[in-house]
Amino acid sequence: MKKILAFAMAGMLTMGFVGCNSKTGGTSDAMDSLSIAFGDLYGAGMGQQLRSMDSTINMEQALKGMEYIANADTSKAFMQGLQMGMQIAQLYAGIEQQCGMPINKSLFMQHLREGLTKPTPMGQEDMMALQSKIEPLLNRAMEQSPKAIVNKKAGKEYMAKLKSNKDYTFTKSGIAYKVIAAGEGKNFSDSDVVKVNYVGRHLNDSVFDKSGDQPVPFNLKQVIPGFAEMIQLMKPGSKVTVVIPGELAYGPQGNRGIEPNETLIFDIETVGVQDPSEQPARPQMPRPNMK
């Protein structure tokens, strides 16, 4: 605690020393000694602070960042650019996380420079037209990610094997299901809120989601397409195992714990339609943006 306190005090003292040598072109012996003392103190204090945040931190990389900022131009334009640069870095990280691949930084910066230095700013209509291109391009990039390609192939292979299993029925859309219990009454419609017991599994049979002890109500207009289609083929008391290809599940976007283009398996038991006076349907398995 004493070291951190001393480090903080040194930071405040620095304000008093700024400009000490402003009238000379060089440094005095006293200023050199002061520079060494401050360097030692800040090195110890910042090292302690950084290690307390991350014990595995790369100090050489941290030092590069410190030197870059400490020696940089401090003009207003540069500092504003620095802040925007942090936003761009976050964009890079977000796109890589979402698409499974890094953005082409060279192309990005080339076109950013062109847009930034145009003598006439882009109009609002042109900006909106440009924004409308982003989503389809993002979906296309996600489709081409290594994980999306691998998962799509694995799903197709899994489905191909199921075709030789006479217990499974394939629908026109591409889902495959096996009836365990037929149930009784009328089939559900897409306007129903259906109470369901379910377990969601990956192709390796590990569970990613389940209903638990109580059935879960689902609005069929707010779930993934393959799940909604399966429920409408069922009646109260039905039990099935359904295999849903990635394009009818979460698509190239994936979801929490579900990778892009994953083919999913659900064990489903329908209980019945929820009474309007009961609790609202659970906001589960949202419909992805299907193109």
Side-chain angles (χ1 to χ4, degrees):
M1 179 64 83
K2 288 181 180 178
K3 286 184 180 179
I4 293 174
L5 181 61
F7 174 60
M9 290 176 65
M12 290 186 285
L13 283 170
T14 307
M15 300 301 292
F17 284 103
V18 171
C20 279
N21 202 45
S22 59
K23 293 183 180 179
T24 64
T27 58
S28 65
D29 289 343
M31 189 56 72
D32 287 347
S33 298
L34 183 63
S35 301
I36 291 168
F38 264 127
D40 288 341
L41 182 61
Y42 267 64
M46 286 183 169
Q48 186 181 25
Q49 185 180 6
L50 288 169
R51 288 188 184 92
S52 70
M53 294 187 290
D54 181 359
S55 61
T56 63
I57 194 164
N58 184 321
M59 286 298 182
E60 287 300 321
Q61 289 297 314
L63 185 59
K64 282 183 182 179
M66 291 180 203
E67 289 180 332
Y68 181 79
I69 296 301
N71 298 329
D73 177 7
T74 56
S75 66
K76 184 178 179 181
F78 179 86
M79 298 308 290
Q80 287 175 335
L82 195 63
Q83 290 175 353
M84 291 179 180
M86 293 298 292
Q87 294 174 22
I88 291 171
Q90 290 173 350
L91 174 69
Y92 286 169
I95 288 176
E96 183 165 3
Q97 183 179 17
Q98 191 168 4
C99 297
M101 295 183 290
I103 194 170
N104 187 323
K105 295 179 183 179
S106 176
L107 278 175
F108 175 91
M109 291 307 300
Q110 176 189 331
H111 285 263
L112 182 143
R113 176 181 290 276
E114 289 173 5
L116 196 67
T117 56
K118 276 183 181 177
T120 306
M122 186 178 286
Q124 191 67 24
E125 285 187 11
D126 290 335
M127 283 283 287
M128 300 216 24
L130 198 54
Q131 286 176 2
S132 69
K133 293 181 180 179
I134 294 295
E135 187 175 351
L137 288 172
L138 188 59
N139 285 335
R140 183 180 164 203
M142 287 189 289
E143 281 281 7
Q144 294 177 5
S145 75
K147 280 188 177 179
I149 292 169
V150 167
N151 288 332
K152 193 167 189 175
K153 183 182 177 185
K156 284 185 176 180
E157 290 172 352
Y158 190 89
M159 285 295 198
K161 288 179 183 178
L162 281 187
K163 286 189 175 176
S164 62
N165 188 330
K166 294 180 181 179
D167 291 336
Y168 279 87
T169 300
F170 279 76
T171 68
K172 204 177 270 190
S173 69
I175 68 171
Y177 66 94
K178 176 175 67 175
V179 177
I180 299 164
E184 296 180 351
K186 294 181 179 180
N187 286 51
F188 300 103
S189 73
D190 67 350
S191 60
D192 289 330
V193 174
V194 184
K195 293 192 287 187
V196 174
N197 292 314
Y198 74 95
V199 176
R201 296 180 280 127
H202 300 285
L203 290 185
N204 65 8
D205 219 32
S206 62
V207 174
F208 63 84
D209 194 16
K210 58 183 177 180
S211 53
D213 297 331
Q214 297 294 325
V216 177
F218 286 116
N219 183 330
L220 297 189
K221 293 179 180 178
Q222 296 177 353
V223 298
I224 57 175
F227 196 89
E229 180 184 354
M230 185 68 253
I231 297 292
Q232 291 173 77
L233 296 172
M234 300 172 73
K235 302 171 182 178
S238 294
K239 290 183 183 179
V240 302
T241 294
V242 60
V243 184
I244 302 176
E247 61 268 23
L248 296 173
Y250 294 95
Q253 299 95 330
N255 197 32
R256 293 178 300 246
I258 296 169
E259 292 186 351
N261 281 346
E262 260 204 271
T263 293
L264 304 175
I265 305 168
F266 287 93
D267 300 312
I268 302 173
E269 177 187 15
T270 54
V271 176
V273 176
Q274 178 176 261
D275 188 280
S277 64
E278 296 181 71
Q279 290 293 320
R282 175 180 173 183
Q284 179 73 19
M285 293 186 291
R287 180 182 296 274
N289 293 322
M290 304 303 294
K291 297 294 178 185

